[in-house]
Each structure stands twice: as C-alpha cells, then as structure tokens.
Amino acid sequence: MSPSSFSALFLLALVAGLLTRLWLAGRQIRHVAAHRGQVPGAFADSIGLDAHQKAADYTVARVRTGMVDLLISAGLLLGLTLGGGLQALHDLSARFFDAGSLPQGLVFVALVASVSWLVDLPLTVYRSFGLEARFGFNRLTPGLFVADALKGILLSAVIGLPLIAFVLWLMEAMGERWWFYVWSFWLVFNLLVLLVYPSFIAPLFNKFKPLEDGPLRQRIEGLMSRCGFRLSGLYVMDGSKRSAHGNAYFTGFGAAKRIVFFDTLLDKLDPAEVEAVLAHELGHYHHHHLWKRLAVIGAGSLAFFALLGHVSATDWFFSGLGMQAGGTAATLVLFALALPVFTFPLTPLMSRWSRTHEFQADAYAAAQAPAPDLVRALVKLYRDNASTLTPDPLYSSIYDSHPPAAIRIARLEGSTR
C-alpha cells in the first residue's frame, strides 16, 4: 500500500465514523426530546413527569456535549497525524535526546499524552462544573478536581512512564516477534491491576470503610452464603464527595475480591433492594462474565498486536499518518491513535454481547432474590440518576451496554408470572 492510499483510507474511515456518530447522536436527541412530554406507561406509577423530563433534558445535554467531544477529538487526531503534529512533537523531543533513543521515546509519548490531556481539559471541566452541576449531580469542588488531576499525573509518571519504557525496550530487544512479548506483558499487567487496584490505587482517590453490622450486612452475607460466594470484604465508598450518582461494583479477583457500595446508593435503596442489586452483580460472577470478557479482549488484543508488528515494518504506515520518523515510540503512538478509527464497527457487537450478560445477571438475581425488589431498585436508580426511559432504539442497540429500561423491567416482571 502506498502512503497516499493509506492516508485516504484513514481519512475516509475517520470521516465516515464521525458522520455516523453525529447522525446517531442526532437521532438520540430527537427521539428523547419527542418522548419528553409523557412518562412511558410501564413507569407511570413510579416515576413522575418532572423526573422523566429531567432525565430527557440531561440525556440531551450529555449527547450534545458528546458531539462537541467528537468534533474536538477528530480535529485533534487530524492535527496530530495528517497535520504534522506528531512529527513536530517528535522533532521537539529529539532536540534534547538522541532520536530513536529510549529517553527520546519516553519524552515523545509524554508530550503526546500532555497535548491530548490539555485539549480535553476544558470539556472535562465543563462536564463536572457545567453539565453535572446544572442537573444537581456534581459535588466535586475545584480543589478536589485539581487534587485528582495531580494524583492522576503523578500515577502516570510513577507507573505509566516505567511501563512505557519497558514496552519500548521489549520492542527493541525481542526481535521480529516483539509484539507477542509486548502482548504477554500487557495481559499480565492488566491482571495485576485487577489484583492491586482495590487495595493500593482506589484508596488514593476515595475513602473506603467496612460496611457496618446491621440488617443490610446480614442480608448480604446471607445472599453470599446461598450463592456460595466468598470475598475479602464489604466496603462503602464516599462517592458522594464527587457526584450524587449512585452505584455499586465488584472489584478484584481471587482472594482480593471485594464489594464496594457508593454511599449515595445506600442512601437511596432499602436493604431488600440493595440485596437484589448485589444478586445481579453476583450473577456476573456466576456466569464468569469477567473471565469471558478478558478472554475475548485478550484474543482481540493479540490480533491487534500482531497487526502492529506487521505495520511497524512498513513505510506507508508512518508516512501515511504524517510522520517521516519511525521507531518504537512512533509506532506505539500512531497505532494507538489510528486503531479506534477502524474498530468503530465492532461497537454494536460488543454492546450486544454486554446486554446479553446483563439479561443473564438479571435472571440470576431473580432466582436468588425477589424480582420485584430488583425492579424497584432499578426504577429508583433510573429516576435518581436521570437515565432516560426512552432512548432511540438504533442508538441504544449500538452504544448501550445495558438493555433499555422498558425491556429490562418487562423481562424481570415476566419472570415473576
């Protein structure tokens, strides 16, 4: 393939993907706005019109912000690649370190990451202090925002740069099959993160305290006993210091498994509803969804790393994306930037698979705890998190990792008949 042909292919994929995403976003906005005036019949007794309209307005505002993000991201990508931005950053780093050396590669990667972070910063600030604040969800203070940013930068420097350095060394030292060694390291590192994140990384940003003894803990321990599930602890996280949204999640694996509840979630749901939500999460573990997803991601990433090994030996890959310089760092950065442009068609497949997992987890929850409890919990979460009840069907089928509210509730209610 010639450089000009690859440039044309890249530009075509970028524009086609951008226009498709903007078109889907427009559909979502129009559909949600058109159904703003009336609560769907299935929710008429549980969600008021004011809450429904707030959810519609919040959804529309988020999608519009996402459209701006799409345009900014596309402009940045074009500026970095075909616009010569990456080459300029490469040349800048080469002024201080020998071109192609490990220090130069690290500085180059850091410069690209810094530019991307700075470009994204205004929209990040707006999401918290504009969009989320307007709808009453933001509890993040400017001081906490800055502290989070500084912690993120510090983690990137302390953990990220050594990791990148090791990857660049592998690419240089392992010969033609370097991509397999990099993939193996990437896989092991991701598993290690799952193991250490709950105990060492998450506490840098939030406070965790054990769930107090009482009716809720007794319910949860009874549920886990029925399900034959062991874990290292039950924790409550101070999610309320950043957002009014409620959530709960599992984290870790093996002996490091733990359940984490946002304090906002416990404020909104009664013990029976919390138990039902937890039963849903246990359903994911019962069906081994985490390991299935890791297996698919691992296999897919192996294919992508193999592709990376192939294109790194071609001239058209670099020249076609606006770089005269090659080398390990340039290969890594270019591939990371270009790959999402070509993988957008996989989005509906992964979303559909995820929704299947959600249905399976719901079915498991309905077998372990009363389905009406889960229905009530979900309705409260839809209402309090301002999740739209009327998404555009096509938009939802492509993007949503969870089934639409009406379909999900109807299936749960059908399981009780």
Side-chain angles (χ1 to χ4, degrees):
M1 181 180 293
S2 67
S4 59
S5 297
F6 185 58
S7 295
L9 179 63
F10 171 75
L11 188 60
L12 177 63
L14 176 62
V15 172
L18 177 63
L19 293 178
T20 300
R21 290 169 186 260
L22 291 174
W23 174 69
L24 288 168
R27 281 183 59 105
Q28 174 78 334
I29 289 172
R30 291 190 296 273
H31 191 276
V32 171
H35 293 82
R36 181 181 182 275
Q38 184 175 359
V39 181
F43 300 93
D45 296 333
S46 52
I47 294 181
L49 181 59
D50 288 346
H52 174 67
Q53 291 179 334
K54 176 184 177 181
D57 295 341
Y58 179 57
T59 299
V60 168
R62 289 183 63 192
V63 174
R64 284 176 174 162
T65 303
M67 295 172 77
V68 174
D69 190 18
L70 283 173
L71 293 170
I72 292 174
S73 299
L76 175 63
L77 182 57
L78 282 175
L80 288 174
T81 54
L82 302 184
L86 289 179
Q87 184 62 48
L89 294 175
H90 183 277
D91 293 343
L92 176 61
S93 61
R95 292 182 183 179
F96 303 97
F97 301 96
D98 293 337
S101 67
L102 183 58
Q104 186 267 330
L106 280 176
V107 172
F108 172 58
V109 171
L111 286 173
V112 175
S114 298
V115 168
S116 300
W117 183 80
L118 288 171
V119 170
D120 189 54
L121 182 59
L123 206 56
T124 301
V125 172
Y126 169 74
R127 283 194 179 98
S128 292
F129 299 104
L131 175 62
E132 294 291 312
R134 176 154 48 103
F135 288 92
F137 291 123
N138 181 60
R139 294 178 180 173
L140 188 67
T141 64
L144 185 56
F145 179 87
V146 173
D148 284 348
L150 292 176
K151 289 177 184 177
I153 292 171
L154 183 61
L155 278 176
S156 297
V158 172
I159 299 177
L161 289 179
L163 290 174
I164 294 296
F166 185 64
V167 168
L168 295 178
W169 177 81
L170 284 175
M171 294 174 72
E172 287 282 358
M174 293 297 137
E176 293 183 357
R177 300 290 182 182
W178 61 261
W179 52 269
F180 180 78
Y181 294 94
V182 172
W183 171 79
S184 301
F185 170 70
W186 174 86
L187 195 60
V188 170
F189 172 73
N190 277 274
L191 292 174
L192 182 63
V193 167
L194 287 176
L195 190 63
V196 304
Y197 177 84
S199 300
F200 298 100
I201 299 177
L204 295 175
F205 296 90
N206 288 95
K207 293 180 180 179
F208 297 82
K209 64 179 182 179
L211 181 65
E212 296 178 354
D213 290 333
L216 177 58
R217 188 179 184 97
Q218 292 172 5
R219 272 183 171 273
I220 291 174
E221 290 176 345
L223 172 65
M224 290 189 297
S225 178
R226 295 197 305 273
C227 297
F229 186 84
R230 290 186 176 184
L231 75 165
S232 62
L234 295 165
Y235 293 89
V236 179
M237 187 187 85
D238 59 341
S240 59
K241 75 177 185 179
R242 289 182 175 82
S243 174
H245 292 294
N247 203 354
Y249 66 91
F250 277 96
T251 184
F253 67 93
K257 292 196 299 289
R258 60 172 61 181
I259 297 169
V260 177
F261 298 102
F262 283 37
D263 53 0
T264 47
L265 180 81
L266 299 184
D267 290 339
K268 295 172 182 176
L269 304 183
D270 64 38
E273 293 162 353
V274 173
E275 179 187 13
V277 170
L278 181 56
H280 169 89
E281 298 301 329
L282 285 174
H284 287 303
Y285 271 84
H286 174 78
H287 289 287
H288 307 293
H289 290 159
L290 172 64
W291 295 110
K292 289 175 182 178
R293 293 180 188 185
L294 285 175
V296 169
I297 292 172
S301 62
L302 177 60
F304 289 134
F305 275 110
L307 177 61
L308 175 60
H310 169 70
V311 299
S312 66
T314 65
D315 292 331
W316 53 261
F317 176 68
F318 298 94
S319 299
L321 293 176
M323 286 198 72
Q324 287 74 50
T328 54
T331 300
L332 212 56
V333 169
L334 278 177
F335 195 75
L337 291 175
L339 184 63
V341 173
F342 296 100
T343 56
F344 174 66
L346 298 177
T347 302
L349 299 178
M350 296 302 294
S351 297
R352 181 181 178 86
W353 192 40
S354 178
R355 290 193 297 272
T356 299
H357 286 178
E358 294 302 322
F359 280 133
Q360 290 174 348
D362 277 351
Y364 181 85
Q368 302 298 328
D373 290 342
L374 181 57
V375 170
R376 288 197 305 273
L378 290 173
V379 169
K380 287 183 179 179
L381 291 174
Y382 288 133
R383 181 193 64 207
D384 296 341
N385 291 331
S387 300
T388 181
L389 303 175
T390 57
D392 173 63
L394 180 59
Y395 181 94
S396 180
S397 69
I398 290 176
Y399 287 117
D400 287 350
S401 61
H402 287 61
I407 296 175
R408 190 175 182 185
I409 297 297
R411 182 171 292 202
L412 279 168
E413 290 177 339
S415 69
T416 63
R417 300 192 182 109

